[in-house]
Amino acid sequence: MRALFGFVCVVFFSLPAFSQVGFGPQVGYFKSADADEGNFMPGGVIRVQLSSALTAEASINYRQEEYGEGIVTVKSWPVMVSGLLYPLPIAYGLIGAGWYNTTFDYDEEKLSSLPATPEDVTEQEFGWHAGAGIELPFGSNSRIFADFRYVFLNYDFSEIPDNFSSDSDFFLFNVGLVLGM
């Protein structure tokens, strides 16, 4: 976490004076391949326009989902850093990385038949994402955006018996407002 904070500080303080910085709220809808259902993910975003074709983005969100009909609830606070490349003034492609502080909360009642119920655990996971989006002016110094991201993230469900396997990669559809750009 210190390395990520240091990286963000170095990028922020080394920006040329003409760079634009904006921040604001975002909300996303996500669904993992094997999750029981999709869910909403609130959060915040900071965007730094480095040139007309390149923007850096950092975001933090909160997400929660269930696997195996509620056997395990996964709660995560993803911190994502992305590069946005604009081939057109309103359309962008993106690629980036994320750090996921993740809690695995096991339902003791549903796992009572096991000789030992797994302990709840919090871990840090690392994942990659890629996607595309659009960004439109909204007033004199704000922008609204919508984008689609696919996140490559494989949780380790090793505490659950071998007959339980799950694909935790997920798609994310974000909409948000960036103030100050």
Side-chain angles (χ1 to χ4, degrees):
M1 184 64 176
R2 284 184 180 172
L4 178 61
F5 179 73
F7 173 75
V8 170
C9 287
V10 167
V11 168
F12 182 77
F13 289 113
S14 65
L15 295 173
F18 59 84
S19 294
Q20 292 182 326
V21 178
F23 62 93
Q26 70 178 2
V27 65
Y29 176 80
F30 69 95
K31 170 77 170 73
S32 295
D34 289 343
D36 294 342
E37 58 187 47
N39 210 340
F40 288 95
M41 181 168 80
V45 62
I46 296 174
R47 287 190 173 179
V48 179
Q49 186 176 5
L50 303 172
S51 72
S52 62
L54 179 63
T55 297
E57 177 189 87
S59 65
I60 185 166
N61 300 285
Y62 174 77
R63 64 187 278 253
Q64 178 176 315
E65 59 196 324
E66 292 184 350
Y67 291 89
E69 298 179 10
I71 290 175
V72 62
T73 300
V74 178
K75 300 172 187 175
S76 179
W77 301 265
V79 176
M80 295 183 182
V81 178
S82 307
L84 287 64
L85 299 172
Y86 291 80
L88 299 171
I90 65 166
Y92 58 87
L94 66 91
I95 190 165
W99 173 73
Y100 299 81
N101 188 31
T102 306
T103 300
F104 299 90
D105 184 10
Y106 297 97
D107 187 324
E108 294 176 12
E109 286 182 30
K110 293 182 180 179
L111 294 172
S112 61
S113 63
L114 294 177
T117 303
E119 294 288 325
D120 295 348
V121 63
T122 299
E123 298 177 351
Q124 286 73 42
E125 301 287 335
F126 184 81
W128 299 97
H129 58 272
I134 59 170
E135 182 179 88
L136 300 170
F138 185 72
S140 62
N141 66 346
S142 300
R143 297 179 186 181
I144 56 173
F145 67 89
D147 61 40
F148 175 84
R149 302 169 189 223
Y150 192 82
V151 179
F152 303 92
L153 178 70
N154 288 316
Y155 289 134
D156 179 15
F157 293 103
S158 61
E159 298 290 328
I160 299 177
D162 292 340
N163 61 353
F164 181 85
S165 64
S166 185
D167 182 1
S168 53
D169 292 352
F170 65 95
F171 73 83
L172 171 62
F173 178 72
N174 270 330
V175 293
L177 173 65
V178 179
L179 306 168
M181 289 185 79

